[in-house]
């Protein structure tokens, strides 16, 4: 009996709730549904949406075609260029040479007839270094490529200061002390002929001294022979264009030889001017005249 009484009391409590309290959850649900329906945009007509959809698809199609076709075309162009004759070495020329043979520079570059231009473009610095290492008479060397496959080596030589006479063969002597290996048929220009010199300390000393002499004295010198006596390894005999001869020391030429016009004027006839230690002159005898 007690159980039924409790159940009856619980039912009475539920009946005692206000009707408004019972429908509140349902009301909140309806309010939320109305708000959601208000935010939904009205559907646009199919005729308005369809053209825009087609335009969007066309844009996407064009973009995809570009992404695929552009790399493919570039690849085809590259392959066509790589197998064509213009991708390989064509005409080769050298600019800036006066003393050194053009073929010498081309040979030391290592460039071959069938080399690809793209390979040479990657190795430009290496090629320049190889030329300078193989041809010491050059200050600079640069490879330029034009018209797809035309090669030009632009070089700068050291200045030529004279010719070395070795067993009646002449070799160009450059201002950096290099003696070129190519034989010259005969000396050209107003440059002195050297004898008895080899590449090294004494030749470098002479070049340094010669470059510091007045230009007028340089032009007066015809030949310079390294006589290097036992007493003086730096002794030289200088043959002047006016037919006088000068005995001198390489170490004092720069100081004494600029006064040569004064010494020559003091001579009454052609002879020898000795400025090796002091300064004195004497005319040629039959035994000393060249």
């Amino acid at each position: 009996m007690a159980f039924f009484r409790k159940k009856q009391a619980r039912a009475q409590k539920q009946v005692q709730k206000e009707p408004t309290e019972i429908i509140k959850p349902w009301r909140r649900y309806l309010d939320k549904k109305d708000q959601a329906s208000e935010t939904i945009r009205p559907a646009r007509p199919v005729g308005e949406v369809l053209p825009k959809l087609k335009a969007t698809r066309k844009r996407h199609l064009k973009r995809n075609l570009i992404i695929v076709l552009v790399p493919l075309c570039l690849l085809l162009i590259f392959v066509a260029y790589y197998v064509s004759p213009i991708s390989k070495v064509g005409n080769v020329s050298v600019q800036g040479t006066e003393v050194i043979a053009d073929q010498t520079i081309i040979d030391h570059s290592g460039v071959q007839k069938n080399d690809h231009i793209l390979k040479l473009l990657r190795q430009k610095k290496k090629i320049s270094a190889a030329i300078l290492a193989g041809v010491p008479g050059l200050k600079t060397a640069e490879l330029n490529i034009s018209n797809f496959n035309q090669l030009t080596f632009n070089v700068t030589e050291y200045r030529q200061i004279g010719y070395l006479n070795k067993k009646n063969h002449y070799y160009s002597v450059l201002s950096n002390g290099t003696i070129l290996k190519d034989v010259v048929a005969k000396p050209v220009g107003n440059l002195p002929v050297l004898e008895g010199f080899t590449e090294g300390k004494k030749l470098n000393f002479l070049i340094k001294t010669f470059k510091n002499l007045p230009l007028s004295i340089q032009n007066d010198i015809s030949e310079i022979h390294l006589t290097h006596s036992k007493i003086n390894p730096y002794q030289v005999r200088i043959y002047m264009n006016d037919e006088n001869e000068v005995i001198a020391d390489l170490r004092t030429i720069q100081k004494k030889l600029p006064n040569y016009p004064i010494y020559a004027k003091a001579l009454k006839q052609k002879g020898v001017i000795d400025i090796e230690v002091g300064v004195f002159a004497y005319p040629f005898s039959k035994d000393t005249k060249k």
Side-chain angles (χ1 to χ4, degrees):
M1 292 293 290
F3 172 77
F4 290 108
R5 288 176 183 169
K6 289 181 180 181
K7 190 174 182 180
Q8 186 176 4
R10 194 180 300 115
Q12 289 177 354
K13 288 181 180 180
Q14 291 178 352
V15 172
Q16 290 176 359
K17 289 183 178 181
E18 293 293 332
T20 56
E21 294 292 331
I22 296 173
I23 66 171
K24 275 184 178 181
W26 175 250
R27 177 58 64 187
R28 285 197 295 270
Y29 169 74
L30 293 177
D31 292 342
K32 287 181 179 180
K33 189 174 181 181
D34 292 341
Q35 292 176 1
S37 63
E38 289 177 358
T39 58
I40 296 175
R41 296 178 181 178
R44 289 179 294 177
V46 175
E48 181 182 346
V49 176
L50 190 57
K52 293 185 177 180
L53 181 61
K54 289 182 178 180
T56 302
R57 287 180 176 177
K58 285 183 179 180
R59 286 198 303 271
H60 289 171
L61 180 60
K62 288 181 180 179
R63 184 188 63 185
N64 294 337
L65 285 174
I66 291 171
I67 293 173
V68 174
L69 292 179
V70 170
L72 183 60
C73 290
L74 292 176
L75 179 61
L76 291 174
I77 292 172
F78 174 78
V79 171
Y81 166 76
Y82 195 79
V83 299
S84 67
I86 63 172
S87 68
K88 297 181 180 181
V89 174
N91 184 50
V92 181
S93 60
V94 180
Q95 292 184 356
T97 54
E98 294 182 2
V99 181
I100 300 171
D102 292 352
Q103 192 59 45
T104 300
I105 295 170
I106 296 172
D107 291 342
H108 283 90
S109 71
V111 174
Q112 302 296 323
K113 184 177 180 180
N114 293 323
D115 283 345
H116 279 278
I117 297 300
L118 296 178
K119 172 189 172 183
L120 300 181
L121 285 172
R122 295 194 304 268
Q123 298 180 347
K124 287 181 70 173
K125 291 184 178 180
K126 183 179 179 180
I127 293 171
S128 296
I131 294 173
L132 293 176
V135 188
L138 294 178
K139 284 183 180 181
T140 62
E142 183 181 0
L143 171 62
N144 291 321
I145 300 173
S146 60
N147 298 328
F148 295 106
N149 63 349
Q150 306 301 303
L151 272 59
T152 303
F153 292 102
N154 291 303
V155 301
T156 304
E157 296 176 332
Y158 285 99
R159 183 171 69 92
Q160 185 178 10
I161 62 96
Y163 297 92
L164 178 68
N165 183 4
K166 187 176 181 182
K167 296 180 180 180
N168 294 323
H169 292 88
Y170 296 97
Y171 304 86
S172 297
V173 180
L174 304 184
S175 60
N176 67 334
T178 299
I179 301 174
L180 300 182
K181 297 179 180 179
D182 296 328
V183 178
V184 180
K186 62 179 181 178
V188 179
N190 193 25
L191 296 175
V193 174
L194 312 180
E195 285 192 19
F197 288 93
T198 57
E199 288 185 355
K201 182 178 179 181
K202 292 178 182 177
L203 179 59
N204 292 335
F205 201 98
L206 171 64
I207 291 171
K208 182 180 178 181
T209 302
F210 183 81
K211 289 193 298 185
N212 290 327
L213 290 174
L215 185 60
S216 60
I217 299 297
Q218 291 183 21
N219 293 332
D220 283 341
I221 297 174
S222 173
E223 299 181 20
I224 303 175
H225 294 196
L226 180 64
T227 51
H228 53 74
S229 65
K230 293 181 179 180
I231 299 174
N232 183 6
Y234 288 92
Q235 185 189 77
V236 292
R237 194 175 193 94
I238 304 172
Y239 297 87
M240 310 301 290
N241 287 326
D242 62 2
E243 298 182 358
N244 287 325
E245 297 177 13
V246 178
I247 298 174
D249 187 311
L250 277 175
R251 296 167 293 188
T252 59
I253 284 178
Q254 186 175 337
K255 180 180 179 181
K256 293 184 176 182
L257 197 57
N259 295 323
Y260 171 76
I262 299 174
Y263 307 146
K265 191 175 181 180
L267 277 173
K268 294 182 179 180
Q269 62 185 55
K270 302 302 179 184
V272 177
I273 301 172
D274 193 330
I275 59 174
E276 184 178 3
V277 179
V279 178
F280 63 93
Y282 52 88
F284 286 124
S285 65
K286 292 181 179 181
D287 295 331
T288 60
K289 190 174 181 180
K290 185 179 177 182

